[in-house]
């Protein structure tokens, strides 16, 4: 194998989960075939990187036989190789291991892997597995002198530029339209047999697991000591204590209130009622 | 005639050699296109099936029932593999006013088993299945590809298509245009020259999810049995009609209307669908449905007199592109005509390839096969019906009159004695300003039209 291996990891739009509004029944529905916009942007980035780096472009996906169509279009658009991997797409770590195993076995270790930014935690796991640089959610991805350059959004409209050494795992936003395959290439790709790999990947290695929830229990705030209100009558002291929730509330006249409305509409009613009562809204009737 | 003006392009003239890239190019992987490609591929010829959507059926909309009988010729025991939602065993025709509804309801279990009659289906499933059959026989399906124009040789014969892909010219001995209503290719080929315009209606449809058990209960069906309800009088007087039909776990509800009437009344089509869903006869059927999809499409409902020329040099037109949608009151069919026309177009192309003559003369068997089949026989016989059913009396006056007549018939007005039927009819006609001579005239037209 010669040259840099640049891999476009396309996400197959697997079944989506839908909840029946009437019955609450959860069901799964098959997604429509074809790569997502982010996946197509990743493919285009891979083509450009392969051209810049003088490397080979590989398109790979984890998906069922229906995903062959997507890979044929990648082939027609300019991918040198394609590969379909059969693995569990729901387990991000297993998916990353399967992708790595399949690509390494058939084409050698990848130098750059580009995902769409809708790929969940798979890029992160892959970067960890390969000890590669990781740059996710990129707007731009270019190659200059064997080093990748990336542009990423920051808060408040700012951008940051990244220098990304190889090997690298990147993901890109769907801001780049993919090139259109020529008709002769499309026709040639139609009858291409797509290679399929079922990698035998080891069990999970990373020790971490999902966030664990403890058993639910009632909310019982810790007791706090508040100063005795300065009032002559006992009832005034009780009122002063029970109208406020804490020392600050008492000190400022005590207007904080904890309410537990049953739903959002009731909560909205309470807020409006409170604001009206305190003269913020005027007469809304 | 701006509606027939075409895409604003003229065909590209190429110096075509006798050698072509493929034998046949079929444009459009709908029912007509896939049937044509299937026939050509089966005969052992090379055929490319171009589809502008990302997959067959992604751009298609229909509003009712697929009658698969014509598939007997194409796919033996098709009912065992066709992706069906429900087999229609109950067919209702409903006439309504804003507060009334009169329904003729027919059901038969004879349609619940082989060889069946009609079915509801999702177009993405149905069209994908048909295109898959063609692919299995060797047709090459190329999705996401638009045929933007025709290629002609210096003598004017059509020798291929230009697509929107790079290096997108594809030469072929025969081009079969199945590119749907408003066919740019048929227009560019001059097939609509001299034909009347303004013959399309606009169909809009909502698909609403409901649990299968709820649909079964509301529509009185079980298993895979289904219901199709065609409705007249639900479009605020705009020429057209409505429909409700059952899928497995969803309903489709919509209207088909004259777009000029819609524009004239300054209405949006979704307002009519909302009207229909609110109607007291429909609301209990659709209540609680979760909106899954809203779709709209033009329908070539003008009938026989608006059909284009069907055969040119190296060129055939089939399906909606050839206005082969039958809107004849009680019969509302399109997919079966598309399947039939596509099948015959494919056979005609094979015949022409066999004798090495793909000129208009060599492809003439297409027209002959259509003439001898239901495709043109039905359209020819029912050519006057679209004008009749889309007329003002049929759209507004008769639905209201019939609903009032039924109400008068069943209304018990004691201590008044029951009115005689003739008296009731005369009174209802007078109330609605309908002259007896108009009724007789329309009845005669109906008898003549329906044969």
């Amino acid at each position: 194998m010669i040259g840099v291996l640049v891999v476009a990891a396309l996400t197959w739009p697997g079944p989506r989960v839908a909840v029946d509004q009437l019955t609450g029944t959860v069901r799964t529905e098959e997604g429509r075939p074809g790569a997502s916009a982010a996946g197509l942007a990743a493919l285009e980035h891979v083509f450009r990187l392969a051209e810049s780096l003088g490397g080979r472009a590989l398109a790979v996906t984890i998906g069922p036989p229906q995903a062959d169509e997507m890979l044929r279009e990648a082939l027609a658009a300019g991918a040198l190789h394609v590969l379909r991997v059969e693995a569990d797409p729901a387990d991000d770590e297993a998916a990353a291991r399967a992708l790595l195993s399949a690509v390494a076995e058939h084409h050698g270790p990848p130098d750059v892997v580009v995902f769409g930014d809708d790929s969940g935690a798979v890029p992160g796991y892959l970067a960890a597995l390969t000890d590669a640089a990781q740059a996710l959610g990129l707007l731009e991805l270019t190659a200059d002198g064997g080093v990748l350059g990336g542009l990423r959004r920051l808060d408040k409209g700012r951008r940051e530029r990244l220098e990304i050494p190889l090997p690298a795992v990147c993901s890109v936003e769907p801001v780049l339209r993919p090139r259109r395959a020529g008709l002769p290439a499309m026709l040639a790709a139609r009858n291409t047999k797509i290679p399929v790999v079922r990698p035998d990947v080891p069990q999970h290695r990373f020790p971490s697991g999902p966030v664990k929830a403890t058993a639910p229990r009632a909310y019982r705030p810790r007791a706090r000591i508040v100063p005795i209100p300065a009032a002559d009558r006992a009832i005034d002291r009780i009122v002063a204590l029970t109208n406020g929730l804490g020392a600050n509330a008492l000190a400022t006249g005590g207007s904080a209130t904890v309410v537990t409305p049953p739903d959002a509409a009731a909560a909205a009613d309470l807020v409006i009622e409170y604001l009206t009562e305190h003269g913020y809204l005027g007469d809304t009737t | 005639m701006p509606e027939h003006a075409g895409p604003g392009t003229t065909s590209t003239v190429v110096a075509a050699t006798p050698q072509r890239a493929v034998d046949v190019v079929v444009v459009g992987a709908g029912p007509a296109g896939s049937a044509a490609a299937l026939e050509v591929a089966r005969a052992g010829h090379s055929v490319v099936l171009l589809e502008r959507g990302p997959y067959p059926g992604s751009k298609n909309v229909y509003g009712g029932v697929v009658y698969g009988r014509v598939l007997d010729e194409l796919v033996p025991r098709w009912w065992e593999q066709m992706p069906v939602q429900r087999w229609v065993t109950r067919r209702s025709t409903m006439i309504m006013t804003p507060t009334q509804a009169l329904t003729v309801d027919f059901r038969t279990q004879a349609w619940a088993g082989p060889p069946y009659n009609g079915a509801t289906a999702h177009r993405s499933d149905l069209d994908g299945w048909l295109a898959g059959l063609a692919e299995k026989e060797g047709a090459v399906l190329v999705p996401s590809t638009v045929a933007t124009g025709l290629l002609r040789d210096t003598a004017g014969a059509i020798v291929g298509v230009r697509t929107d892909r790079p290096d997108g010219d594809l030469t072929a001995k025969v081009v079969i245009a199945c590119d749907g209503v408003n066919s740019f290719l048929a227009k560019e080929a001059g097939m609509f020259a001299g034909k009347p315009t303004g013959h399309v209606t606009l169909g809009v449809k909502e698909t609403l999810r409901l649990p299968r058990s709820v649909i079964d209960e509301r529509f009185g069906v079980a298993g895979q049995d289904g219901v199709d309800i065609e409705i007249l009088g639900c479009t605020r007087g705009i020429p057209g009609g409505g429909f409700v039909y059952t899928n497995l776990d969803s309903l489709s509800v919509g209207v088909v209307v004259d777009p000029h009437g819609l524009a004239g009344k300054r209405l949006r089509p979704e307002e009519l669908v909302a009207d229909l869903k609110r109607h007291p006869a429909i609301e209990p059927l659709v209540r609680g449905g979760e909106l899954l999809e809203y779709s709209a499409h033009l329908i070539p409902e003008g009938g026989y007199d608006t059909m284009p020329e069907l055969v040119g040099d190296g060129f055939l037109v089939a399906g909606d592109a050839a206005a082969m949608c039958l809107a004849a009151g009680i019969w509302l069919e399109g997919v079966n005509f598309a399947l039939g026309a596509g099948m015959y177009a494919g056979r005609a192309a094979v015949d022409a390839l066999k004798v090495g003559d793909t000129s208009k003369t060599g492809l003439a068997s297409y027209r002959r096969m259509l003439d001898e089949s239901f495709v043109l026989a039905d359209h020819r016989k029912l050519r006057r019906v679209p004008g009749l059913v889309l007329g003002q009396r049929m759209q507004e006056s008769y639905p209201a009159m019939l609903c009032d007549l039924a109400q008068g018939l069943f209304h018990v007005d004691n201590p008044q004695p029951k009115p005689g039927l003739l008296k009731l009819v005369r009174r209802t006609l007078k109330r609605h300003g309908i002259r007896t001579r108009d009724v007789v005239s329309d009845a005669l037209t109906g008898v003549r039209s329906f044969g």
Side-chain angles (χ1 to χ4, degrees), chain A residues 32, chain B residues 60-61 122 205-208 290-295:
Chain A
R32 288 287 173 220
Chain B
N60 300 80
V61 180
H122 291 320
K205 180 176 84 167
E206 286 185 9
T207 301
L208 308 170
E290 173 195 351
L291 180 63
L292 292 177
E293 183 182 275
Y294 179 86
S295 47

Side-chain angles (χ1 to χ4, degrees), chain B residues 12-66:
Chain B
T12 306
V13 177
V14 294
T17 59
Q19 194 66 28
R20 304 277 196 271
V22 289
D23 291 328
V24 178
V25 171
V26 181
V27 182
S34 290
L38 179 60
E39 285 291 276
V40 174
R42 271 188 183 153
H45 296 288
S46 58
V47 53
V48 169
L49 180 57
L50 299 176
E51 166 57 39
R52 69 187 168 122
Y55 53 89
S58 57
K59 298 283 185 185
N60 300 80
V61 180
Y62 89 126
V65 183
V66 179

Side-chain angles (χ1 to χ4, degrees), chain A residues 219-243:
Chain A
Y219 172 61
R220 292 199 176 85
R222 185 176 296 173
R224 282 172 291 173
I225 298 171
V226 295
I228 298 170
D232 293 335
R233 297 193 307 158
I235 191 167
D236 293 335
R237 292 195 292 275
I238 291 170
V239 167
L241 280 171
T242 54
N243 271 351

Side-chain angles (χ1 to χ4, degrees), chain B residues 71-352:
Chain B
L71 283 171
D72 288 345
E73 285 191 54
L74 273 175
V75 189
R77 302 183 72 79
W78 52 271
W79 54 85
E80 291 175 354
Q81 38 176 313
M82 190 169 105
V84 162
Q85 286 288 303
R86 288 179 185 258
W87 297 103
V88 174
T89 57
R90 206 180 137 198
R91 174 75 197 268
S92 301
T93 300
M94 185 182 284
I95 296 165
M96 65 167 53
T97 69
T99 57
Q100 301 163 301
L102 172 66
T103 306
V104 177
D105 186 25
F106 175 75
R107 67 190 305 161
T108 172
Q109 289 311 111
W111 296 343
Y116 296 102
N117 180 45
T120 60
H122 291 320
R123 284 299 297 271
S124 53
D125 298 336
L126 179 75
D127 292 15
W129 170 68
L130 285 164
L133 293 176
E135 278 190 289
K136 274 184 196 155
E137 296 289 346
V140 178
L141 171 67
V142 186
S144 304
T145 304
V146 180
T148 55
L150 295 168
L151 304 177
R152 292 180 188 266
D153 64 14
T154 47
I158 290 163
V159 294
V161 294
R162 172 159 286 182
T163 71
D164 63 344
R165 288 193 176 274
D167 304 320
D169 287 359
L170 185 62
T171 55
K173 292 170 185 166
V174 182
V175 173
I176 304 178
C178 304
D179 50 337
V181 62
N182 198 28
S183 165
F184 282 6
L185 295 187
K187 289 176 187 175
E188 189 180 316
M191 311 303 263
F192 278 100
K195 296 290 177 179
T197 62
H199 59 278
V200 293
T201 52
L202 174 68
V204 292
K205 180 176 84 167
E206 286 185 9
T207 301
L208 308 170
R209 183 188 299 284
L210 278 173
R212 186 173 176 174
S213 58
V214 172
I215 292 173
D216 287 352
E217 197 173 306
R218 289 183 185 178
F219 287 84
V221 289
Q224 219 179 338
D225 292 359
V227 180
D228 174 41
I229 305 173
E230 305 291 347
I231 304 162
L232 194 61
C234 60
T235 50
R236 298 196 201 179
I238 299 167
F243 58 85
V244 177
Y245 62 86
T246 57
N247 304 306
L248 212 52
D249 54 4
S250 63
L251 302 176
S252 292
V253 52
V255 296
V256 175
V257 287
D258 171 23
H260 302 289
L262 203 60
K265 294 212 171 187
R266 294 180 180 276
L267 280 172
R268 294 186 59 81
E270 62 267 29
E271 293 177 60
L272 297 179
V273 179
D275 275 0
L276 184 58
K277 286 164 59 184
R278 277 196 299 264
H279 191 279
I282 302 299
E283 193 275 337
L285 301 176
V286 303
R287 183 183 300 154
E290 173 195 351
L291 180 63
L292 292 177
E293 183 182 275
Y294 179 86
S295 47
H297 213 279
L298 290 176
I299 308 168
E301 285 199 345
Y304 187 81
D305 294 329
T306 63
M307 285 184 185
E309 290 296 318
L310 301 171
V311 185
D313 285 330
F315 192 68
L316 300 172
V317 191
D320 275 10
M324 287 171 175
C325 198
L326 184 71
I330 53 176
W331 294 300
L332 300 164
E333 302 168 20
V335 174
N336 50 334
F337 284 92
L339 285 168
M343 179 176 72
Y344 295 128
R347 288 180 186 173
V350 170
D351 291 347

